[in-house]
Amino acid sequence: MQYPSQITLVAFLIAKPGEENELIRHFQPVIQATRREAGCIDYHLHQNAKVPTDFVMYENYVDQHALKAHQNAPYTQALLNYLNDSGASVQYDLWTMLTEHPNHHIAWC
């Protein structure tokens, strides 16, 4: 079964060597603000345990409208500007969830 309204964004980021902590610092307020968004299901930043310059963002939203609202938020725009200015590499794709979240009754954000 698909959950067609839910949208998942998975982003792969590579920080410049030595800039890992700065990238994390710029994400912190965005993580907190995003988790308060009405349409956010969950929003997580991961750092590669072996390659500290490599990061993955895993984001779930109730629908495309919620994702668009997040992308247009001033704090998201500021983060995207920082990532662009810092020279970090960013690639992302949108995904459709095919399985029900095991704790679907819990509000994650």
Side-chain angles (χ1 to χ4, degrees), residues 9 26-27 29-31 33-34 37 43 59 61 66-83:
L9 186 148
H26 276 84
F27 261 100
V30 177
I31 292 167
T34 301
E37 293 173 4
Y43 189 85
E59 312 172 28
Y61 300 91
L67 172 60
K68 188 58 99 177
H70 166 71
Q71 291 173 325
N72 291 330
Y75 46 85
T76 302
Q77 290 298 308
L79 176 63
L80 294 174
N81 288 336
Y82 159 74
L83 292 171

Side-chain angles (χ1 to χ4, degrees), residues 17-37:
E19 296 294 318
E20 301 90 346
N21 288 336
E22 191 67 11
L23 184 142
I24 294 167
R25 187 180 73 75
H26 276 84
F27 261 100
Q28 291 304 320
V30 177
I31 292 167
Q32 298 307 314
T34 301
R35 288 178 174 175
R36 289 190 297 268
E37 293 173 4

Side-chain angles (χ1 to χ4, degrees), residues 6-12 58 60 92-97:
Q6 182 174 323
I7 188 86
T8 300
L9 186 148
V10 179
F12 299 92
Y58 179 76
N60 281 301
Y92 71 92
D93 269 317
L94 300 178
W95 301 76
T96 300
M97 184 170 274

Side-chain angles (χ1 to χ4, degrees), residues 89-103:
S89 168
V90 180
Q91 296 180 349
Y92 71 92
D93 269 317
L94 300 178
W95 301 76
T96 300
M97 184 170 274
L98 300 179
T99 59
E100 182 178 25
H101 195 287
N103 296 314

